Amino acid sequence: MTKFRKLNRPTGHRMSMLRTMVSQLVKHERIETTVAKAKEIRRLADNMVQLGKEGSLFAARRAAAFVRGDDVIHKLFTELAYRYKDRAGGYTRLLRTRIRVGDAAPMAYIEFIDRENELRQSKPPTPQPPQRPSLDPWTRSRLSRQFAPPKEEKSSESDI
């Protein structure tokens, strides 16, 4: 696993909490938590959706080792994989909501995008710029000379 925020918890408690929260996010498609936890959940939930899109047996076993519940795994590999089949990434959205009374922790909703009853509509995808063909160094050199201004010859004043 990669580096996570410690969230003031021992490793076992932290991983158990993140696994449960990712499972609940997949199940309910929106949960409210603190901003720091939501940022960690976002990373893990995007990885789980990516495994669902992959659809192989190995991906299913990896997802089953992390999330809790057969219904959650089924939803990952059917509904969410189909919904995000054309999307390259960024399956979740983080919306800051309020300051929690009691400890003044900043709270946020984390939700899947492109779903019914979402809090904010997703932006349309930005069009990719057209790909330029790669040039070999000789052609690139010739083209740069073609568009570069002509070189001016220096007049030597020592000849006078």
Side-chain angles (χ1 to χ4, degrees):
M1 287 254 160
T2 58
K3 180 93 172 116
F4 293 108
R5 288 179 175 84
K6 296 204 184 282
L7 302 173
N8 287 331
R9 286 166 173 78
T11 306
H13 182 194
R14 179 175 62 245
M15 291 310 295
S16 176
M17 179 190 64
L18 291 175
R19 288 176 61 191
T20 302
M21 292 181 94
V22 169
S23 301
Q24 293 299 311
L25 175 63
V26 171
K27 187 175 183 178
H28 300 290
E29 297 195 11
R30 180 194 306 149
I31 58 174
E32 186 180 23
T33 182
T34 62
V35 173
K37 289 178 193 170
K39 287 179 180 180
E40 291 305 313
I41 294 167
R42 177 175 52 189
R43 293 171 54 195
L44 296 168
D46 285 356
N47 286 342
M48 291 299 117
V49 173
Q50 198 67 33
L51 288 175
K53 284 173 57 177
E54 194 176 314
S56 65
L57 178 62
F58 179 62
R61 286 180 176 162
R62 283 183 60 197
F66 190 80
V67 296
R68 298 168 192 253
D70 294 335
D71 56 339
V72 174
I73 295 169
H74 179 73
K75 187 172 184 177
L76 269 175
F77 281 82
T78 54
E79 185 180 331
L80 295 180
Y82 179 74
R83 186 189 306 170
Y84 300 121
K85 66 181 181 216
D86 296 330
R87 183 176 283 274
Y91 311 110
T92 54
R93 171 185 303 129
L94 194 110
L95 296 169
R96 293 169 189 259
T97 56
R98 62 190 174 98
I99 302 295
R100 184 164 59 192
V101 176
D103 63 352
M107 300 295 286
Y109 278 116
I110 181 167
E111 67 176 0
F112 283 111
I113 59 174
D114 297 336
R115 68 180 194 91
E116 296 177 10
N117 302 326
E118 58 186 348
L119 296 174
R120 189 181 74 191
Q121 296 297 319
S122 58
K123 299 174 187 172
T126 57
Q128 295 294 327
Q131 294 291 327
R132 295 179 12 193
S134 60
L135 301 174
D136 61 272
W138 307 112
T139 309
R140 189 180 308 136
S141 174
R142 230 178 299 123
L143 286 175
S144 66
R145 270 187 267 135
Q146 178 182 353
F147 295 114
K151 292 184 178 180
E152 298 178 12
E153 293 184 22
K154 293 183 180 178
S155 60
S156 60
E157 296 177 358
S158 60
D159 291 342
I160 300 177

